[in-house]
């Protein structure tokens, strides 16, 4: 497991670009709300900690992870420097998990290829609820924090290219 020896919330603040000049969109799935709210909080806190003004963070909620694609596409139109797509898909007893995970990952990839505004993939795809808890503010830190740092770096890359 990639997070076994890594805390997702650890980063060297000295290596993070000044984010005070950027606007960010965060699209949050309402499905598995306990997990996605934890991820959102990690992302929001990291953005604020790195100089983003609260009024430069736009949040939209969508029903589920599959809807993150459309929500992120529309968020790209909102004059933001980067979008963070937050979701949580937990393995069940059917193939639904595979279809949702594949569709969301391909959809977010397509948005990055087709449009100028980067979309950061912050969708947990865990085998069980405990794994999701551990990656949304639990013992492995918060993937939302990691996504926010990636969003800042990608906004800077876009700004400089």
């Amino acid at each position: 497991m990639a997070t076994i020896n890594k805390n997702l919330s650890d980063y060297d603040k000295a290596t993070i670009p000044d984010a005070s000049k950027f606007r960010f969109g965060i699209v949050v799935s309402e499905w598995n709300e306990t997990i996605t709210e934890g991820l959102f909080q990690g992302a929001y806190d990291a953005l604020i900690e790195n100089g983003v003004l609260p009024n430069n963070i736009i949040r939209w909620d969508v029903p589920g992870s599959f809807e993150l694609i459309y929500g992120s596409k529309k968020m790209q139109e909102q004059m933001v420097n980067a979008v963070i797509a937050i979701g949580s898909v937990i393995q069940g007893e059917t193939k639904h998990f595979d279809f949702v995970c594949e569709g969301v990952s391909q959809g977010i990839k397509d948005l990055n290829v087709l449009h100028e505004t980067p979309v950061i993939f912050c969708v947990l795809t865990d085998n069980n609820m405990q794994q999701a808890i551990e990656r949304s503010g639990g013992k492995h830190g918060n993937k939302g924090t990691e996504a926010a740092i990636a969003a800042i770096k990608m906004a800077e890359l876009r700004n400089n290219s």
Side-chain angles (χ1 to χ4, degrees):
M1 216 175 270
T3 55
I4 230 43
N5 293 314
K6 177 174 177 22
N7 186 314
L8 297 167
S9 300
D10 289 343
Y11 65 93
D12 180 0
K13 192 169 179 180
T15 66
I16 308 306
D18 175 21
S20 63
K21 60 189 176 246
F22 297 132
R23 285 176 35 114
F24 295 91
I26 305 177
V27 183
V28 182
S29 168
E30 295 171 337
W31 193 258
N32 292 325
E33 182 178 34
T34 302
I35 302 306
T36 60
E37 286 302 318
L39 294 169
F40 168 78
Q41 197 61 55
Y44 182 87
D45 290 348
L47 292 173
I48 296 296
E49 181 176 296
N50 285 284
V52 180
L53 298 173
N55 61 339
N56 283 335
I57 302 170
I58 302 167
R59 176 187 171 147
W60 289 351
D61 293 336
V62 295
S65 289
F66 206 80
E67 292 76 22
L68 289 170
I69 303 162
Y70 183 78
S72 295
K73 175 184 165 192
K74 298 310 280 182
M75 184 66 83
Q76 286 177 315
E77 300 170 2
Q78 300 302 307
M79 303 297 289
V80 295
N81 298 97
V83 176
I84 303 169
I86 293 178
S88 171
V89 186
I90 298 173
Q91 177 72 54
E93 296 178 7
T94 69
K95 302 282 285 172
H96 184 73
F97 174 86
D98 299 325
F99 298 132
V100 171
C101 293
E102 179 72 17
V104 174
S105 61
Q106 290 301 314
I108 302 259
K109 180 267 300 173
D110 290 345
L111 293 175
N112 280 303
V113 170
L114 296 172
H115 303 285
E116 292 299 313
T117 304
V119 180
I120 307 304
F121 185 84
C122 182
V123 180
L124 297 183
T125 56
D126 295 304
N127 291 320
N128 55 57
M129 181 60 83
Q130 188 59 42
Q131 286 180 345
I133 291 167
E134 291 170 356
R135 288 159 184 77
S136 61
K139 74 177 186 177
H140 292 301
N142 194 314
K143 184 76 172 169
T145 302
E146 183 182 59
I149 299 308
I152 293 168
K153 290 179 178 182
M154 293 304 291
E156 180 75 3
L157 175 68
R158 178 182 180 213
N159 189 52
N160 292 336
S161 60

